[in-house]
Amino acid sequence: MTTTKTEQVKNYLLSLQDAICTAIEKQEGGTTFREESWEYHGGGGGRARVLEGGRVFEKAGVNFSWVTGERLPASATAKRPELEGRSFQAMGVSLVVHPDNPFIPTSHANVRLIVAEKEGEEPVWWFGGGYDLTPYYGFEEDCRHWHTTAKTACEPFGKDVYPRYKKWCDDYFFLKHRNEPRGIGGLFYDDLNEWPFERCFEFMQAVGNSYIDAYIPIVEKRRQTPFTEQHKQFQQYRRGRYVEFNLVYDRGTLFGLQSGGRTESILMSLPPVVHWNYNWQPQPGSEEARLYDYFLKPRDWVNGSEESH
């Protein structure tokens, strides 16, 4: 693994952070990200950017990090025990956007590279990432647009790539203790090294670059939709599922905490206001019930059919 290769990935990630922040600020038309640079105890650091209290976005965080350490954390070696004891460098961009309007979905994206090294042996590297969408009130055309954009990004890399990573996303962003998905999915991949390094890097760029195309048109379409306090209450209730997933299951959160990362950056993904209501159930036939009955089901959104998992 040459320094030139990792520098290319690092430079791309910095440019991706800039591009996504610019697109979000354009939607805001006034509120901007504040930036904090931080250093990691093992080496490296990051650039955290957070926007809060905007006209469109209640909270948005877009973080870049590049950290090194002497030992991979347990979350990275649980399925690959042969890598225990290796030093590592990890770099990535991770973001989450929590809109104010309940008719705009929450979105999350992440792209990353991890390199595990041991003296006298070849470095082991892999890419990971993806993006997923968490609507509170569902619109079929939004789901279709999101997944069609994801499929288009994957197509140059093989016809099996989108269906494989779409299913992985459905399976991964699933709250087992609730027996329900977090949202309508998208793409998820990890341990990607089946292609040459350059090809895997190209895939990272295809996924990262397509996020803006997937999300911003939905924001523009829904940002003026009138909403009531009831809509807001449901959004805040459903945000609780987001919190539960991130704190119980999310690999990135666990990797960051176990590796001694910057807590404020790791937990910036959490929404600002959340409600947990005891044993709440939606009214039958309501739009809230339709989210559960129709949208929170594995579907082939591109072609508009339900899938059996």
Side-chain angles (χ1 to χ4, degrees), residues 280-301:
W280 181 87
Q281 301 293 327
Q283 289 292 324
S286 66
E287 283 301 302
E288 291 80 8
R290 190 165 184 259
L291 179 77
Y292 291 91
D293 297 338
Y294 185 82
F295 288 91
L296 297 185
K297 305 284 185 184
R299 289 185 178 275
D300 176 357
W301 288 107

Side-chain angles (χ1 to χ4, degrees), residues 81 162-163 201-202 225:
Y162 166 74
F201 180 28
E202 287 174 4
T225 305

Side-chain angles (χ1 to χ4, degrees), residues 40-260:
Y40 182 65
H41 60 83
R47 193 168 73 174
R49 291 180 179 171
V50 178
L51 181 154
E52 292 181 296
R55 291 186 299 178
V56 178
F57 303 108
E58 200 169 342
K59 183 182 181 184
V62 185
N63 288 343
F64 163 80
S65 63
W66 169 68
V67 300
T68 65
E70 294 182 359
R71 293 177 65 88
L72 278 164
S75 61
T77 60
K79 294 185 178 180
R80 304 180 73 172
E82 74 276 9
L83 300 181
E84 284 185 18
R86 284 188 176 234
S87 63
F88 73 93
Q89 59 173 316
M91 62 185 73
V93 165
S94 181
L95 68 99
V96 65
V97 181
H98 293 290
D100 180 52
N101 191 316
F103 290 96
I104 305 175
T106 284
S107 70
H108 157 263
N110 170 259
V111 286
R112 60 189 176 272
L113 166 67
I114 299 175
V115 183
E117 298 175 288
K118 186 176 183 180
E119 192 172 344
E121 297 187 23
E122 282 291 308
V124 177
W125 55 266
W126 65 93
F127 289 84
Y131 47 65
D132 67 291
L133 195 70
T134 307
Y136 306 99
Y137 291 91
F139 297 91
E140 284 195 59
E141 60 266 36
D142 294 354
C143 301
R144 190 177 307 113
H145 168 78
W146 177 261
H147 277 276
T148 300
T149 306
K151 182 175 184 286
T152 300
C154 293
E155 280 178 342
F157 301 88
K159 293 203 174 293
D160 67 318
V161 173
Y162 166 74
R164 185 154 45 105
Y165 292 163
K166 190 262 186 193
K167 183 181 186 305
W168 198 346
C169 189
D170 288 341
D171 293 343
Y172 178 70
F173 289 105
F174 189 85
L175 290 88
K176 299 178 184 66
H177 62 285
R178 298 283 190 182
N179 195 33
E180 66 185 47
R182 186 168 85 172
I184 60 108
L187 300 171
F188 182 85
Y189 64 99
D190 205 357
D191 303 317
L192 176 63
N193 58 11
E194 64 190 68
W195 304 317
F197 184 91
E198 290 76 12
R199 188 66 168 163
C200 292
F201 180 28
E202 287 174 4
F203 184 71
M204 168 198 265
Q205 293 173 81
V207 172
N209 295 343
S210 67
Y211 167 77
I212 294 171
D213 295 334
Y215 188 53
I216 294 300
I218 297 173
V219 174
E220 291 175 337
K221 187 178 289 185
R222 305 300 168 196
R223 55 181 291 168
Q224 301 295 340
T225 305
F227 62 90
T228 66
E229 180 60 27
Q230 179 183 334
H231 295 134
K232 195 69 182 171
Q233 290 283 328
F234 183 63
Q235 177 201 53
Q236 292 169 352
Y237 171 75
R238 286 296 306 172
R239 282 175 173 175
R241 301 295 202 266
Y242 208 91
V243 173
E244 290 174 21
F245 182 88
N246 276 30
L247 296 183
V248 176
Y249 300 113
D250 187 71
R251 290 185 188 180
T253 301
L254 296 175
F255 183 96
L257 295 175
Q258 290 174 0
S259 62

